[in-house]
Amino acid sequence: MMPAVFRMPTVAEEIGPRSPGAIYQNSDGRFEVLALITDRREAAQLLRRNGARWAVIVRDTLRPDGQPFVVGTIWTSFDYLLREGKSTSAYAPAA
């Protein structure tokens, strides 16, 4: 029997369809993607952890007072896309 080979997910697989302008939902809320940061240094600084490969700035659209915040959680089967993003750029400034 061959041993299982672990493959590290790519950055694109971890981010999923979360490009700027996208709206996705999971058990934590409904989120609009304001910016996608793929610069490792900036992502690590925003998330306050070493080794971060990317970060996403989102706002919860279910909260009337929803303020932008940073997430670094990978895309899973519990997340689902409600609206595709309008931009395919690697970085978009927050609105």
Side-chain angles (χ1 to χ4, degrees):
M1 189 155 133
M2 304 253 331
V5 176
F6 176 76
R7 183 183 68 82
M8 185 79 165
T10 66
V11 168
E13 289 170 334
E14 290 180 353
I15 295 169
R18 290 179 287 189
S19 60
I23 295 178
Y24 70 99
Q25 188 164 342
N26 58 33
S27 62
D28 296 326
R30 183 182 306 147
F31 306 99
E32 178 182 18
V33 178
L34 302 176
L36 170 60
I37 292 80
T38 56
D39 178 81
R40 288 176 179 235
R41 182 177 296 153
E42 188 176 356
Q45 187 175 32
L46 287 168
L47 291 168
R48 296 186 178 109
R49 69 173 185 230
N50 293 329
R53 302 193 304 170
W54 54 270
V56 180
I57 300 174
V58 299
R59 117 185 133 77
D60 190 339
T61 62
L62 296 177
R63 297 175 155 259
D65 63 340
Q67 296 297 311
F69 63 97
V70 182
V71 297
T73 53
I74 65 169
W75 186 264
T76 71
S77 60
F78 296 105
D79 301 306
Y80 57 97
L81 190 64
L82 299 174
R83 181 181 81 191
E84 289 186 16
K86 297 175 187 143
S87 171
T88 58
S89 64
Y91 175 82

